[in-house]
Amino acid sequence: MSLFFDTNVLIAYIFKWDPWYSYAKNTFKETSNSYFSDTVDEEVSKKFQELLKKYVCFLDLLIRKLQQFKGFLTKKDLLRIANLINVKKINKLKIIESIWDDEGFNFDENCEFIVSTLKEIKSDFKQDSFSRKTNFVSMLELHIRNREHPNIERELKKKIHFPDWKIFLDAYDLFIYKEPNLEVVTSDAKPENIEYILKITKLPKITDLASRVFK
């Protein structure tokens, strides 16, 4: 089947500390025709700036707190310190676990070494995120909807909030005019909403990212 990606799937691919990153990465390896829409592109750009700022802010604040410590810290210590930082909508536990494992830290590590490592990680993370944002544009085909579907739009708006109804309208347009065997991949749609969208649009398939990768 051809694939159409929702916003959060692309965000998961861009940020390696996103809880859905490994799922998105695996899905992107497939050779199917893959699409996103101009609505998705706009939403990705907005969320990208917002989340990148949060990740960088978290690392900056963590570095600042750690500079107040001397001696050695364990992963448990670092997690405790990280949890004191008030930055929402990011998974602080996953970030610390990932950094500690990826860097091959010992049971406890010199605090100054952790700080210097975090400074490098912050720079690398920004470059990596920008690179992935550029990569998905080259890997997917952009679908721009130039047609109106007033009946479908009206029904979608009854239960689906903006911009999701618009994104699924884009997918519907792609399905009707170009890709009759289309699968929409998302990571945040409620099962009852998926059932409703399928009923209204007659799209062949809408799947949750996690269940699709490991089905």
Side-chain angles (χ1 to χ4, degrees):
M1 299 183 81
S2 297
L3 305 177
F4 177 91
F5 292 115
D6 192 6
T7 302
N8 284 335
V9 178
L10 301 184
I11 288 295
Y13 172 76
I14 290 170
F15 294 112
K16 66 179 182 180
W17 291 327
D18 188 285
W20 300 103
Y21 168 70
S22 60
Y23 298 84
K25 183 180 178 181
N26 286 336
T27 301
F28 268 60
K29 291 178 181 178
E30 298 188 22
T31 58
S32 306
N33 292 334
S34 299
Y35 299 86
F36 70 119
S37 71
D38 50 341
T39 308
V40 171
D41 191 34
E42 290 174 10
E43 287 303 303
V44 167
S45 295
K46 292 177 185 177
K47 289 191 174 185
F48 175 79
Q49 293 298 332
E50 174 189 342
L51 286 170
L52 183 63
K53 184 177 179 180
K54 287 181 180 293
Y55 281 118
V56 172
C57 179
F58 170 73
L59 292 174
D60 280 337
L61 292 173
L62 181 58
I63 289 169
R64 194 174 306 169
K65 281 186 176 292
L66 291 177
Q67 287 172 333
Q68 302 171 12
F69 289 83
K70 299 292 183 181
F72 286 74
L73 296 174
T74 64
K75 181 165 65 174
K76 186 177 180 180
D77 293 329
L78 193 58
L79 286 168
R80 176 179 53 79
I81 295 168
N83 280 329
L84 298 175
I85 298 172
N86 187 23
V87 178
K88 301 184 184 301
K89 294 187 177 180
I90 61 172
N91 191 323
K92 291 179 281 189
L93 173 62
K94 181 175 180 58
I95 294 171
I96 299 303
E97 292 278 1
S98 176
I99 289 173
W100 198 275
D101 294 342
D102 290 347
E103 297 302 320
F105 288 153
N106 297 313
F107 173 77
D108 56 359
E109 278 291 349
N110 186 288
C111 193
E112 291 183 2
F113 178 63
I114 295 175
V115 167
S116 66
T117 302
L118 287 175
K119 289 179 179 178
E120 294 179 6
I121 287 172
K122 184 181 74 169
S123 177
D124 291 343
F125 177 78
K126 290 170 69 175
Q127 293 179 13
D128 179 67
S129 299
F130 274 105
S131 176
R132 290 181 188 280
K133 187 175 184 295
T134 301
N135 284 347
F136 90 72
V137 174
S138 65
M139 294 163 61
L140 309 182
E141 183 175 338
L142 177 65
H143 176 69
I144 299 177
R145 175 172 55 86
N146 295 315
R147 294 163 286 262
E148 300 294 329
H149 305 282
N151 293 335
I152 300 296
E153 179 178 332
R154 182 175 61 253
E155 294 301 314
L156 286 174
K157 283 181 175 179
K158 289 180 180 180
K159 289 191 176 183
I160 311 301
H161 62 72
F162 180 86
D164 289 354
W165 68 260
K166 193 173 181 181
I167 291 171
F168 281 100
L169 198 63
D170 294 342
Y172 171 79
D173 185 79
L174 177 63
F175 157 60
I176 290 295
Y177 291 101
K178 186 174 181 178
E179 293 287 355
N181 197 27
L182 185 67
E183 177 180 355
V184 179
V185 185
T186 184
S187 67
D188 67 344
K190 299 177 181 178
E192 59 269 26
N193 286 347
I194 289 178
E195 291 179 10
Y196 181 76
I197 294 167
L198 287 170
K199 179 180 178 181
I200 297 304
T201 62
K202 309 301 181 187
L203 281 161
K205 197 172 185 181
I206 301 173
T207 52
D208 178 82
L209 181 61
S211 63
R212 184 180 187 283
V213 172
F214 293 103
K215 63 185 179 180

